[in-house]
Amino acid sequence: PKVLADTVPSSFGYGRNATQAEIDRLDIDVRPDGKGLPKGEGISAKGKVIFEEKCVACHGAGGIGGPNGSLVTNKTPTDKRREKTIGNYWPYATTVFDYVRRAMPFNEPGSLSNEEVYHLTAYLLNANGIIDEKDVINAQTLPKVEMPAKNLFVPDDRKGGAEIR
Amino acid sequence: PKVLADTVPSSFGYGRNATQAEIDRLDIDVRPDGKGLPKGEGISAKGKVIFEEKCVACHGAGGIGGPNGSLVTNKTPTDKRREKTIGNYWPYATTVFDYVRRAMPFNEPGSLSNEEVYHLTAYLLNANGIIDEKDVINAQTLPKVEMPAKNLFVPDDRKGGAEIR
Amino acid sequence: AAVAIVQTAKGQTIQKAVPENAIYEDPTKKLGTLAGEIGTRSPFVKSVKKPSDISSRSPLQDFYGIITPSDLHFERHHAGVPVINPNKHELVIHGLVEKPLVFTLADLKRFPSVSRIAFIECSGNFRGGKENLTPQEICGLTSQSEWTGVKLSTLFREVGVKPNASWFLAEGGDAAVMTRSIPVKKGWEDSIIAYAQNGEPIRPEQGYPFRLFNPGWEGNTSVKWLRRLELSDTPYYTREETSKYTEPIKDGKFRIFSFDIDARSIITFPSFPQQVEKGWIEIRGLAWSGRGKVVKVEVSTDAGKNWQIAQLNDPILDKAHVQFRHLWQWKGEETEILSRVTDETGYTQPTLKQLFEARGNDGGYHMNPITAWQIKKDGKVLFKPETFK
Amino acid sequence: AAVAIVQTAKGQTIQKAVPENAIYEDPTKKLGTLAGEIGTRSPFVKSVKKPSDISSRSPLQDFYGIITPSDLHFERHHAGVPVINPNKHELVIHGLVEKPLVFTLADLKRFPSVSRIAFIECSGNFRGGKENLTPQEICGLTSQSEWTGVKLSTLFREVGVKPNASWFLAEGGDAAVMTRSIPVKKGWEDSIIAYAQNGEPIRPEQGYPFRLFNPGWEGNTSVKWLRRLELSDTPYYTREETSKYTEPIKDGKFRIFSFDIDARSIITFPSFPQQVEKGWIEIRGLAWSGRGKVVKVEVSTDAGKNWQIAQLNDPILDKAHVQFRHLWQWKGEETEILSRVTDETGYTQPTLKQLFEARGNDGGYHMNPITAWQIKKDGKVLFKPETFK
Ligand code: HEC
Ligand code: HEC
Ligand SMILES: [Ca+2]
Ligand SMILES: [Ca+2]
Ligand SMILES: [Ca+2]
Ligand SMILES: [Ca+2]
Ligand SMILES: [Ca+2]
Ligand SMILES: [Ca+2]
Ligand SMILES: [Co+2]
Ligand SMILES: [Co+2]
C-alpha cells in the first residue's frame, strides 16, 4: 500500500473569538506605562483609613513590621537585614496598583474597588516617602511616579558555559 | 583533581544465609519428577468425600460445571466449546497436587493437610478417568501417572522478525 | 464537595466555608487551600479502572503520555491483593546455588539499583466481538511504570547460581502462592526485583513490597509479592504455565512457555464512545513490543488501503509503550481508522485474520492484532468487531 | 488497619474479618482484596511532603527513579490551591495578536499534543545553615513529571502573534491572579500549555485544569490555573518579577528576569537522618539543568579532593532530572561526600563559595551550589552547613 502524507494546517480553527467585553472583564493588568489603569483616583489620607481597617493586621502599623512583611521602608532600621519594601525595592509604582488590586487583602482577594486601590496606592507611596501627602494618584499621575529602586535591576547575564555568574 | 574508579565487588555481602529449616518451611512446590512431594498418600474414595464438602460449591458435582470452572472432563459434551480440564489439558499429574495445596479452596487457601491433598488428587485423577478407583497416590506413584495431555504442548516458536507465527 | 477549611501552622489563615453552589463561582476571589502533605485529584476527574472478579483494566483512553498513574495500573491476580507487612516479608533464593540467601526489603535496596520505564501486559489482553468496546475493554490489561529495583543478575552473582541451573521458580506470597518457571537466561539478561514504581514504593496491587519484573514478557511471569526463587534444572509445569497461559495453535497443539509480548498498537483517540467533529483530528495511540524498541507506527484512515507514518513522541524506550500521533483531516466520510506497529526485529503487527491463518482460529493468549475503529457519518466511533469461528 | 471485606460482583467471595493482630500473620492463607477501581498505597508507606505556609516540599530522599509521584509533587502558590470547575475555566489569548481567541480545556486537547518528562524547580530552592537537614528540606522544591499539553507555538500560530510582540503576560485564575512576563521567544521555543501530568489530568496543586509550562525555567514562570495570555511589546514588571524572583548580585545590583535554572545535583542517599554501615554503599542522587541535558555527574567521597564519574541511568532527557549512582566502599573513616553536575553548555555546578565570589554573598534566588554530606565515624550522615555572611 502507498504511503501518503497529510499537510499540517495553518489554522486548526478550534476555540472561539474573544469578544472585547470578555477580554475587558479579565484584563486587569497594569503596565509601567500606565496601560490598564482604570478611571478613578486616590489620595494618601483616604488610603490610610482603608489600610488601617483592612491591611494593618498583616502588614503592621504604618506598613512596617507585620506578620506578612513590611511594605514601607523603615527609616530607623535596626541592625538586622533591611527588609525589601515598595520604597527601596519596587522599580515601578504601577506594580503597587496592579498587585494590590489582584491579590490583596490576602483573605479577601479581589474585594477592593478601583477607587480603594488608588487610595491605598497613594498611601503606600506616601508612607514610603515617594509622593507628597497631597498628591493625587490616577491613570495619568501613577506612571510618572519615579521609584527609588528604578535603576536597581539588571538583566540576567548568566548564559551557561564554564563561567560562574 | 584526579579521577579514580572503585571496582565492583564480586559479593556485596548483604542478606543472610538461609537455613535449611526456613527453606523447607517455604519450599512447597512439586516438580513433574516428584521432587517436593511430601509423605502421605491418598485414595479417590476419601478424596470424593472431601471434594463434596469443600470444593463442590465452586467446581460442580463430580467436578463438572461449577461457577468457577470444571475440573473433570465431561464425557457427554454438549455442542458448546469443550472446557479445558485436568483430564484433557494438564500435562503432569504433579501439578494437581502442587496447585490444590497452594491455592485451594479459594476461600480458605493453605488450609488442607498433605493427606487431604493426596486424597483430592486421587479423586480428581480418577474422576477424569486417568487412574483406577483403587489406585493409591503418593510420592512414588504420582509422578508416574501418565496424563492424556502430556504431548499436547509445544515450545514457543515465535521469534520476532517478519514472519507471523 | 465543599471546599475544605484549612489553617496554617500558625493559625493565620481563614477560609470561610461557602455554600455548595457558590464553590466554583470565582476562584480568584477566594483564598485557596494551603499547601498540604499529600496532593489531591480534582473532583472533576473521574477516571477509574474497570474491575471484574479477577482483574481490573486500565482506562487507556483517558491516559496522556506514557506513564500510567500508579493507582490506575491494571490489576490481575489469582487470589486477591494481600496485605503484606514489609518487616515480615523476605525473599529466599535457594536450589541450585552455592549460597542460599534471605533478603529483606532493606537488603534489596542496598544493592546497586536500576530504573527503567517499561510496560507490563497480560498475555490474555484481548476482547473483541462487539462494537461498543472502549480501549480499556479491548486491551486495558497493559500499563506502564518507571520500575526501580535490583537486577536479578546481581542477586544471581550474590548467591552463586550453579552452571546446571537452567530454570528458576518464582513464587509469590499471596493467597495463590503464585508460581511461574522462568529460564535462568532471562534472569541474567534483564529481570529486575522491583521495589518501586513511578518514584514510590510499589503499590499493593502491583506486588508490594517487591515483585519480579521480566521486561517485555507476559505479565503473569512478573510474579508479585515475591517470596522465593528456586534455581532448578527443569521447569516446574505449574498450573499457571500449563492449564493457563498456554494457547492453541494449529494441528491440535498448544504453545507452552510463550513469553514474549508481540508488538502491538492501539488508537486510543478517537475511540468508542467518543464522537468526532469534521476538521483536523489528532489520532493518538500507544504502541509497544516485548521484543525491543518500536521503530515505526503506521496509521490508515481509509480502512487499510493506504498507510502513513505516524509521529513517535520521545522517549522511545526498549520494551516500552510509546505514544504515536497522526494528524488527519476528516471530511465527514464513513471510514475506518487503524494503526500497526513495527518493532526492531522487523515484526509488524498482523491483522486478526493473519493471526488466525498462522495459528488457527481458537483465540487464546497472545492475541495482539490490529484493531480498527469505524467512523460513522455522524462522527460516532465504534469498534470494528471481526468475525472468527 | 483491618483488612477490608470485599465481595465480588457476583457476591461469591467471602473474606472474613480478622482481629487486628492477625492481619499480617500469613497472607498466603487469606484471600486478598479483589480487583478495584482505584489502586491503593500500602499503609506501611509514610512518605509525605513537608508543608509551610506558602509551599510544600517533595521528599526527594524517598524517591526512586526520575518520576515524582503526582501527589508528592512540590507545591508553591501565592494564594492557595483554587477549586476550579473545568467547565467554567477558559484560556483567553489577546493583545498583540491578529485574532484574539478563547479556548476551553476540550479545545486545547484537540490541538496536536506533545509530552515530555521534565522537572520544575522553584528558583528559591535552597536551605542550609544547619546539620540536621534532609534533601527535602535543602532542595525539595523540585519535582519531575511527564507533562502533556499543546505547544504554545501552536496556539501562537492560531491567534497570529504580531511581529512586534516581544513579551507576553501569563495570568493564573487563582486567588493571587498570579502573573509573570515571559519573552515571546520562549513561547516559540518550547513552552507548553500542559493539561496532564504523569498520564492523568494535572493535579489541582499543579494547576488543574491547565498551566503554562516553561521547561528549564524557574517554576514561578510556569503559571498555574492559567486563564489569560496577553501579548505585549514590553514586560509588565509584575510583583512576582520585581519584589520577588529577583536576586542580589555584586555592586548593589539585582538580577531581574533570571529564568534559567542553573545545573544542580544532590546526593539523596545516603543523607540525613540515615545511618550507613561499613561496606559497599551505592551513592544515589538526582542531577538536572535548566539549560539542556546533563552530560556528567562527578562524585567525591573524600571531601572534594578526588572526583569520580558517576553512572547516569537512562533516559537522560533535556531539562530533566537524571538519576546518578556511584558505588563506594566505606571503610569507617570520617569523610564528606559530594556531587557536582556538568550540563551540555559546559556549566559545572559550583561551590557555595564560588557562587558568593561571583555574586556577592547575599543569597537569594538561584542558589544551586554543590552540597556536601558529612559521614561520621559511627555512620551518621549530617548535612554540611557552609558559613556565609
Ligand atoms: C490576612 C493577611 C493579609 C491581609 C489582611 C493583607 N495582606 Fe498583603 N500580604 C499578605 C501576604 C501573605 C502577602 C504575601 C503573598 C504571597 O505569598 O505572595 C502579602 C503581600 C502584600 C504585598 C506585596 C509585598 C511585597 O513585598 O512583595 C503588598 C503590596 C500587600 N500585601 C498589600 C496589602 C494591602 C494594601 C492590604 C489591605 C488592602 C493587604 N496587603 C492586606 C497578607 C495580607
Ligand atoms: C470459593 C470458591 C472455590 C472453592 C470452594 C474451591 N475452588 Fe478451586 N477454584 C476456584 C477459582 C476461583 C479458581 C480459579 C483461580 C484463579 O483465578 O486462578 C479455582 C481453580 C481450581 C483449579 C484449577 C482449575 C484449572 O482448570 O486451572 C483446581 C484444580 C481447583 N480449583 C481445585 C479445587 C479443589 C480441589 C477444591 C476443594 C478442596 C476447590 N478447588 C475449592 C474457586 C474455588
Ligand atoms: Ca492588559
Ligand atoms: Ca516586603
Ligand atoms: Ca522446591
Ligand atoms: Ca477449568
Ligand atoms: Ca500488575
Ligand atoms: Ca508546582
Ligand atoms: Co504466553
Ligand atoms: Co529568576
Side-chain angles (χ1 to χ4, degrees):
Chain A
K2 285 181 300 175
V3 170
L4 302 173
D6 277 317
T7 29
V8 176
S10 60
S11 167
F12 289 88
Y14 311 147
R16 57 177 171 76
N17 292 324
T19 64
Q20 194 55 46
E22 67 190 327
I23 292 172
D24 290 346
R25 192 158 30 79
L26 296 174
D27 186 1
I28 58 169
D29 63 74
V30 174
R31 296 200 321 199
D33 61 7
K35 188 158 180 274
L37 281 170
K39 273 180 282 184
E41 56 181 30
I43 52 166
S44 176
K46 290 199 177 166
K48 186 171 195 294
V49 177
I50 304 166
F51 192 87
E52 276 160 12
E53 186 197 335
K54 300 191 173 180
C55 321
V56 82
C58 296
H59 294 293
I64 296 176
N68 293 114
S70 300
L71 306 176
V72 172
T73 314
N74 194 343
K75 297 288 173 196
T76 56
T78 61
D79 57 355
K80 71 162 195 157
R81 205 192 293 205
R82 188 103 165 274
E83 261 191 89
K84 296 191 175 84
T85 61
I86 293 169
N88 64 22
Y89 202 67
W90 291 42
Y92 296 101
T94 47
T95 310
V96 179
F97 187 98
D98 177 89
Y99 181 70
V100 170
R101 180 164 69 166
R102 68 175 63 240
M104 288 295 133
F106 194 68
N107 52 339
E108 287 196 81
S111 63
L112 300 172
S113 70
N114 289 336
E115 203 80 14
E116 286 176 305
V117 179
Y118 270 125
H119 291 314
L120 284 162
T121 303
Y123 170 69
L124 289 169
L125 292 172
N126 174 248
N128 274 289
I130 298 165
I131 62 166
D132 286 343
E133 226 188 306
K134 298 283 164 232
D135 285 351
V136 174
I137 288 298
N138 60 30
Q140 283 67 50
T141 58
L142 185 60
K144 297 204 184 94
V145 172
E146 280 286 317
M147 297 292 276
K150 169 112 197 230
N151 297 315
L152 221 53
F153 296 94
V154 293
D156 189 8
D157 63 346
R158 296 171 308 149
K159 53 184 201 297
E163 202 189 343
I164 300 157
R165 290 176 185 241
Chain B
K2 286 181 298 174
V3 169
L4 302 174
D6 278 319
T7 30
V8 176
S10 60
S11 165
F12 289 89
Y14 311 147
R16 58 178 171 77
N17 292 323
T19 66
Q20 196 54 49
E22 66 190 328
I23 291 172
D24 290 346
R25 190 158 32 79
L26 296 175
D27 187 1
I28 58 169
D29 64 75
V30 174
R31 296 200 320 198
D33 61 7
K35 188 159 180 271
L37 281 170
K39 275 179 282 182
E41 55 182 32
I43 51 167
S44 177
K46 291 201 175 164
K48 187 170 193 295
V49 177
I50 304 168
F51 192 88
E52 276 160 12
E53 185 198 335
K54 300 191 172 180
C55 321
V56 83
C58 297
H59 295 293
I64 297 177
N68 293 113
S70 300
L71 306 176
V72 172
T73 314
N74 194 343
K75 298 288 173 197
T76 56
T78 63
D79 56 355
K80 71 162 194 157
R81 203 192 294 207
R82 188 104 165 274
E83 261 191 90
K84 296 191 174 82
T85 62
I86 293 169
N88 64 20
Y89 202 67
W90 291 43
Y92 295 101
T94 46
T95 310
V96 180
F97 186 98
D98 177 89
Y99 181 70
V100 170
R101 179 165 69 166
R102 66 175 65 241
M104 288 296 133
F106 194 67
N107 52 339
E108 288 196 82
S111 63
L112 301 172
S113 70
N114 289 337
E115 202 81 13
E116 286 176 305
V117 179
Y118 271 126
H119 291 314
L120 284 163
T121 303
Y123 170 68
L124 288 170
L125 292 172
N126 174 248
N128 274 290
I130 298 164
I131 63 167
D132 285 343
E133 225 188 308
K134 299 280 164 231
D135 285 350
V136 172
I137 289 298
N138 59 30
Q140 283 66 51
T141 57
L142 185 60
K144 298 205 184 93
V145 173
E146 281 285 317
M147 297 292 277
K150 169 112 198 228
N151 296 316
L152 222 52
F153 296 93
V154 293
D156 189 9
D157 63 346
R158 296 171 308 150
K159 52 184 202 298
E163 202 189 344
I164 299 157
R165 290 177 186 241
Chain C
V3 174
I5 300 160
V6 189
Q7 285 210 311
T8 70
K10 299 173 198 154
Q12 284 168 334
T13 304
I14 336 95
Q15 175 164 15
K16 294 191 195 87
V18 289
E20 281 278 335
N21 59 5
I23 289 179
Y24 307 113
E25 269 178 11
D26 186 355
T28 67
K29 306 217 162 165
K30 211 162 283 154
L31 184 60
T33 307
L34 295 197
E37 290 194 335
I38 286 282
T40 60
R41 198 170 258 163
S42 167
F44 291 95
V45 173
K46 308 268 187 216
S47 192
V48 291
K49 294 190 280 191
K50 198 176 162 70
S52 72
D53 278 10
I54 59 169
S55 72
S56 199
R57 294 170 168 261
S58 280
L60 300 186
Q61 65 280 353
D62 299 342
F63 291 167
Y64 307 88
I66 57 171
I67 296 293
T68 302
S70 298
D71 62 1
L72 296 176
H73 193 291
F74 84 87
E75 286 177 55
R76 176 75 180 96
H77 26 71
H78 290 264
V81 180
V83 180
I84 292 188
N85 180 339
N87 306 313
K88 294 188 180 173
H89 186 86
E90 294 174 327
L91 175 63
V92 176
I93 308 185
H94 70 111
L96 294 177
V97 302
E98 301 296 341
K99 198 169 53 163
L101 289 171
V102 188
F103 302 105
T104 62
L105 175 59
D107 291 333
L108 294 177
K109 288 184 184 171
R110 290 180 73 185
F111 283 100
S113 58
V114 65
S115 299
R116 68 181 290 174
I117 296 172
F119 74 86
I120 298 185
E121 181 175 19
C122 176
S123 55
N125 191 24
F126 181 67
R127 293 288 174 278
K130 51 183 185 168
E131 288 187 322
N132 54 347
L133 290 176
T134 63
Q136 178 169 30
E137 290 165 315
I138 297 161
C139 67
L141 295 176
T142 186
S143 300
Q144 178 150 294
S145 299
E146 184 186 29
W147 301 101
T148 298
V150 47
K151 285 182 189 166
L152 184 49
S153 60
T154 303
L155 301 183
F156 276 3
R157 273 186 209 97
E158 198 70 24
V159 295
V161 166
K162 292 189 177 164
N164 59 334
S166 51
W167 293 78
F168 67 90
L169 184 77
E171 184 177 84
D174 61 331
V177 207
M178 244 289 305
T179 44
R180 282 297 299 258
S181 305
I182 313 288
V184 164
K185 190 165 174 283
K186 180 71 175 173
W188 285 116
E189 269 168 22
D190 64 0
S191 301
I192 291 170
I193 307 301
Y195 45 73
Q197 173 183 18
N198 295 337
E200 59 173 298
I202 275 193
R203 298 291 187 110
E205 295 80 5
Q206 266 58 64
Y208 184 85
F210 43 79
R211 77 184 298 169
L212 178 62
F213 174 44
N214 293 315
W217 280 21
E218 58 183 12
N220 183 261
T221 67
S222 288
V223 174
K224 296 187 278 194
W225 313 290
L226 195 68
R227 71 171 198 177
R228 187 169 72 93
L229 299 177
E230 181 172 355
L231 281 292
S232 161
D233 55 3
T234 167
Y236 288 73
Y237 295 96
T238 72
R239 181 256 188 175
E240 303 297 339
E241 60 207 19
T242 52
S243 167
K244 306 294 162 191
Y245 300 101
T246 48
E247 59 273 353
I249 50 173
K250 283 178 169 168
D251 308 321
K253 292 289 180 188
F254 294 81
R255 241 177 222 151
I256 194 168
F257 301 126
S258 50
F259 297 124
D260 287 334
I261 292 289
D262 287 330
R264 183 179 211 167
S265 69
I266 182 165
I267 292 171
T268 54
F269 177 82
S271 64
F272 175 79
Q274 293 147 3
Q275 180 138 7
V276 293
E277 286 173 46
K278 275 177 220 170
W280 289 97
I281 294 171
E282 188 179 64
I283 294 174
R284 297 171 190 153
L286 291 171
W288 60 96
S289 169
R291 294 195 186 87
K293 286 190 182 173
V294 164
V295 296
K296 185 173 69 177
V297 175
E298 294 161 291
V299 167
S300 171
T301 53
D302 58 5
K305 284 190 274 300
N306 296 283
W307 294 86
Q308 295 169 261
I309 308 281
Q311 275 193 354
L312 302 181
N313 192 95
D314 281 324
I316 301 164
L317 300 170
D318 192 42
K319 303 176 182 176
H321 286 173
V322 172
Q323 295 172 82
F324 67 87
R325 296 174 167 133
H326 177 70
L327 257 185
W328 172 49
Q329 195 172 18
W330 184 54
K331 295 180 176 128
E333 73 280 12
E334 194 155 311
T335 188
E336 287 167 21
I337 59 171
L338 319 77
S339 66
R340 69 177 180 207
V341 60
T342 301
D343 72 18
E344 61 174 277
T345 73
Y347 179 83
T348 298
Q349 186 182 11
T351 60
L352 194 60
K353 189 163 166 289
Q354 286 175 306
L355 274 182
F356 285 157
E357 277 160 16
R359 301 183 188 168
N361 61 356
D362 280 323
Y365 299 93
H366 293 287
M367 299 300 295
N368 282 8
I370 292 175
T371 42
W373 299 102
Q374 313 168 62
I375 311 289
K376 297 297 180 186
K377 276 204 161 12
D378 59 359
K380 280 219 178 68
V381 185
L382 294 172
F383 183 65
K384 186 188 182 191
E386 298 181 67
T387 42
F388 55 99
K389 214 171 191 179
Chain D
V3 175
I5 300 159
V6 189
Q7 285 211 310
T8 70
K10 299 173 196 154
Q12 284 167 334
T13 305
I14 333 98
Q15 176 164 14
K16 293 190 195 87
V18 288
E20 282 278 336
N21 59 5
I23 288 180
Y24 308 112
E25 269 179 11
D26 187 354
T28 68
K29 307 219 160 162
K30 207 163 286 157
L31 185 60
T33 307
L34 295 197
E37 290 194 335
I38 285 283
T40 59
R41 197 170 258 163
S42 167
F44 291 95
V45 173
K46 308 266 187 218
S47 193
V48 291
K49 295 189 279 191
K50 199 176 162 66
S52 72
D53 278 8
I54 59 170
S55 72
S56 199
R57 296 171 165 260
S58 280
L60 300 186
Q61 65 281 351
D62 299 343
F63 292 166
Y64 307 88
I66 57 171
I67 296 293
T68 302
S70 298
D71 62 2
L72 296 177
H73 193 290
F74 84 87
E75 287 178 53
R76 176 74 181 94
H77 26 70
H78 290 264
V81 180
V83 180
I84 292 187
N85 180 339
N87 307 312
K88 294 190 182 173
H89 185 88
E90 295 173 327
L91 175 62
V92 175
I93 308 186
H94 70 110
L96 295 177
V97 302
E98 301 296 342
K99 197 169 56 163
L101 289 171
V102 189
F103 302 105
T104 63
L105 175 60
D107 291 332
L108 294 177
K109 288 183 183 171
R110 290 180 73 185
F111 284 100
S113 57
V114 66
S115 298
R116 68 181 291 174
I117 296 173
F119 74 85
I120 299 185
E121 182 177 18
C122 176
S123 55
N125 191 24
F126 180 67
R127 293 286 176 280
K130 51 183 186 170
E131 288 188 322
N132 55 346
L133 290 177
T134 64
Q136 179 168 29
E137 291 165 315
I138 297 160
C139 67
L141 296 176
T142 187
S143 300
Q144 177 150 291
S145 300
E146 184 187 30
W147 302 101
T148 299
V150 47
K151 285 182 192 166
L152 185 50
S153 60
T154 304
L155 301 183
F156 276 2
R157 274 185 208 97
E158 198 70 24
V159 295
V161 165
K162 292 189 178 166
N164 59 333
S166 51
W167 293 78
F168 67 89
L169 184 78
E171 184 177 83
D174 61 331
V177 208
M178 244 287 305
T179 43
R180 282 298 297 259
S181 305
I182 314 288
V184 164
K185 189 164 174 283
K186 181 71 175 173
W188 286 116
E189 268 168 24
D190 65 2
S191 302
I192 292 171
I193 307 301
Y195 45 73
Q197 171 183 20
N198 294 337
E200 58 173 295
I202 275 194
R203 298 292 186 109
E205 294 79 6
Q206 267 56 66
Y208 183 83
F210 43 78
R211 77 183 298 168
L212 177 62
F213 174 44
N214 294 314
W217 281 20
E218 59 183 12
N220 182 262
T221 67
S222 287
V223 175
K224 297 187 277 194
W225 313 292
L226 195 67
R227 70 170 199 177
R228 187 169 72 94
L229 298 177
E230 180 172 356
L231 281 293
S232 161
D233 55 3
T234 167
Y236 288 73
Y237 295 97
T238 72
R239 182 256 188 175
E240 303 297 340
E241 59 208 20
T242 53
S243 168
K244 306 293 163 193
Y245 300 102
T246 49
E247 60 273 353
I249 50 172
K250 283 179 172 169
D251 307 321
K253 292 289 179 186
F254 295 82
R255 241 176 223 152
I256 194 167
F257 302 125
S258 49
F259 297 122
D260 287 336
I261 291 288
D262 287 331
R264 184 179 209 166
S265 70
I266 182 165
I267 292 171
T268 54
F269 177 82
S271 63
F272 175 81
Q274 294 147 3
Q275 181 139 7
V276 293
E277 285 173 45
K278 274 177 223 174
W280 289 97
I281 294 171
E282 189 180 64
I283 294 174
R284 297 170 189 154
L286 292 171
W288 61 96
S289 169
R291 294 196 185 88
K293 285 190 181 171
V294 164
V295 296
K296 185 174 67 177
V297 174
E298 294 161 289
V299 166
S300 171
T301 53
D302 58 4
K305 283 191 273 301
N306 297 282
W307 294 87
Q308 295 169 261
I309 307 283
Q311 276 192 355
L312 302 182
N313 192 96
D314 281 325
I316 300 165
L317 300 170
D318 192 41
K319 302 174 183 175
H321 286 174
V322 172
Q323 296 173 83
F324 67 87
R325 294 172 168 133
H326 177 71
L327 258 185
W328 172 49
Q329 195 172 18
W330 183 55
K331 296 181 176 128
E333 74 280 12
E334 193 155 311
T335 187
E336 287 168 22
I337 59 172
L338 317 76
S339 66
R340 70 178 179 205
V341 59
T342 301
D343 72 16
E344 60 174 275
T345 72
Y347 178 84
T348 298
Q349 185 180 11
T351 60
L352 194 60
K353 188 163 166 291
Q354 287 175 306
L355 274 182
F356 285 157
E357 277 160 16
R359 300 182 189 168
N361 61 355
D362 280 323
Y365 298 93
H366 294 286
M367 298 300 295
N368 281 9
I370 292 175
T371 44
W373 299 101
Q374 313 168 62
I375 311 288
K376 298 297 180 185
K377 277 203 158 19
D378 60 359
K380 280 220 178 67
V381 185
L382 294 173
F383 182 64
K384 186 190 180 191
E386 296 181 68
T387 41
F388 55 99
K389 215 171 190 181

